Amino acid sequence: SLHSLNHDMTLPEFKFIWYMEYSHRMWGRVVGLAYILPAAYFWHRGWLSRPLKGRVLALCGLVCFQGLLGWYMVKSGLEEKPDSYDIPRVSQYRLAAHLGSALVLYSGSLWTGLSLLLPQHKLPETKQLLRLRQYAHGTTALIFLTALSGAFVAGLDAGLVYNSFPKMGEHWIPDDLLAFSPMLRNIFENPTTVQFDHRILGIASVTAVTALYLFSRKIPLPRRTRMAVTSLLAVACMQ
């Protein structure tokens, strides 16, 4: 099936795909070494506190797990399905897991780095500040979910289904939204539903970030925090 689908592929076209895969893999290994080698050196020199050692080990494990997930994901794209002559592609579930794991790893590394570089603000724990923190955590979860839904869009080529916005074709809600049964399968396997969900989550994320920004304006906050919230809004609009 692989041959019958890509019989007109030239050698330079194949090389382009191969080198993209290869460089991504090598880059991942370089990232692993750039993390593990200095971590081992700092540990050996006794520069890591007890809580930091736990974090370093957790992030280290996550780096290795990320590589393993990548291999597991690519493996799913190389399996010949006897009943299907569809375009060979990786499992959208494994793609979402690989992306989700990368986001957790990146956020964990950034958070650890920033907590070492910047002293924590000692702010009075007001009711408003507590609410802002809860809002921020909720927004983070929503953005994470939106990014994961993007992996399903990519895995199913769902971006090719409808190319109009805000409507999907002629309708606000497309006809084939719940074409698959059981109903739950649509959320993960129906390209129309997957694109629809991604749109809704994207709009919800931008709305949540805007609301967070407007709410933060009412609270006296340090310059650094204000900069972070403003940057978040700018990046959300750009995205």
Side-chain angles (χ1 to χ4, degrees), residues 173-184 186-187 190 192-193:
I173 294 168
D175 298 335
D176 51 344
L177 192 70
L178 299 172
F180 293 14
S181 68
M183 208 165 82
L184 199 65
N186 288 284
I187 297 170
N190 181 346
T192 299
T193 319

Side-chain angles (χ1 to χ4, degrees), residues 49-152:
S49 65
R50 185 107 190 248
L52 196 57
K53 279 182 178 177
R55 266 193 197 190
V56 163
L57 280 179
L59 287 169
C60 207
L62 206 50
V63 166
C64 299
F65 176 67
Q66 178 64 9
L68 201 67
L69 258 182
W71 166 81
Y72 184 62
M73 178 190 81
V74 170
K75 187 174 174 284
S76 69
L78 300 173
E79 287 162 4
E80 286 261 3
K81 298 170 186 72
D83 57 336
S84 143
Y85 286 99
D86 197 9
I87 295 167
R89 60 161 65 97
V90 298
S91 152
Q92 69 271 30
Y93 298 103
R94 297 184 194 184
L95 181 63
H98 190 53
L99 177 70
S101 170
L103 287 172
V104 170
L105 173 61
Y106 182 73
S107 308
S109 304
L110 190 66
W111 187 268
T112 305
L114 287 178
S115 37
L116 288 170
L117 290 168
L118 306 170
Q120 198 172 356
H121 285 302
K122 291 281 179 276
L123 297 174
E125 285 288 333
T126 60
K127 205 171 183 178
Q128 275 188 314
L129 191 71
L130 205 66
R131 270 183 66 191
L132 181 73
R133 193 174 288 143
Q134 286 170 340
Y135 271 19
H137 288 161
T139 306
T140 306
L142 187 60
I143 292 167
F144 183 72
L145 194 65
T146 307
L148 281 194
S149 77
F152 282 91

